[in-house]
Each structure stands twice: as C-alpha cells, then as structure tokens.
C-alpha cells in the first residue's frame, strides 16, 4: 500500500531555494527518498528519530551534509501519511547554520 506524502510550506520553500544552490544529484537523492518513503511498509525504519527539541521527527540522510526531515501520521487500516518538514543541511537541522 502506498503511503500518502504531504509537503509543508516550509519544505516547498526550502526545496525551491535549494534547487538554485545545490547540484542536481542532491535533488535526485531527495526525489528517490520521497519515493522510498511513499512505498515503504515501515517508513520509520528509513530515518533516524531525533531527540531533544526535535523529538518525534525523523531524519533521512541524503549524504554527508543534507537531511530530509519528516514525521509520520498513522491512521486506521495501516494507512500512513508522510509529512515532509524540511530539506536542509545537517547544521540547519539544529539551527546552527
């Protein structure tokens, strides 16, 4: 069963901004990650749960420097909604950039 993927306004804005600044290969990784998350039976296993102020948010690693932040909303009948929050550098995850 394919999961529903929702893009937040922040995700859309950052994605658009990064498109101009980073190589196309990063966006190929982002698109591959979105596809994997949408098709995964256990999308929580594809990311790493964050702790502290980011508790409940998962980070999907796109390489050494970039992350895709998302959360999962579970519904009845094994339906899941993947909510994409941010695509950003590792430093920006923690607002240190």
């Amino acid at each position: 069963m394919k999961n529903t993927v929702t893009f937040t306004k922040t995700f859309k804005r950052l994605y658009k901004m990064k498109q101009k600044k980073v190589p196309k290969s990063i966006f190929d990784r982002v698109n591959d990650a979105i596809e994997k998350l949408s098709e995964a039976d256990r999308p929580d296993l594809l990311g790493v749960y964050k702790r502290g102020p980011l508790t409940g948010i998962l980070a999907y690693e796109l390489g050494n420097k970039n992350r895709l932040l998302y959360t999962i909303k579970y519904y009845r009948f094994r339906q899941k909604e993947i909510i994409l929050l941010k695509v950003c550098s590792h430093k920006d995850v923690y607002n240190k950039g």
Side-chain angles (χ1 to χ4, degrees), residues 11-79:
F11 179 88
K12 289 178 189 177
R13 181 178 48 82
L14 291 171
Y15 185 86
K16 193 173 183 177
M17 281 175 34
K18 282 202 170 271
Q19 258 182 330
K20 299 172 186 172
K21 296 180 182 178
V22 298
K24 185 183 179 302
S25 62
I26 298 293
F27 286 94
D28 291 341
R29 289 186 205 155
V30 172
N31 294 328
D32 288 345
I34 293 169
E35 187 65 29
K36 285 179 185 176
L37 288 168
S38 72
E39 294 177 356
D41 287 333
R42 295 279 314 271
D44 56 317
L45 297 179
L46 297 175
V48 176
Y49 276 100
K50 300 281 110 195
R51 291 183 272 174
L54 300 176
T55 299
I57 294 176
L58 293 114
Y60 186 107
E61 190 173 311
L62 300 169
N64 290 341
K65 296 182 181 179
N66 293 290
R67 305 287 184 270
L68 174 67
L69 297 183
Y70 67 100
T71 188
I72 305 168
K73 205 177 227 183
Y74 294 93
Y75 296 101
R76 297 172 83 183
F77 309 113
R78 297 180 50 190
Q79 293 178 326

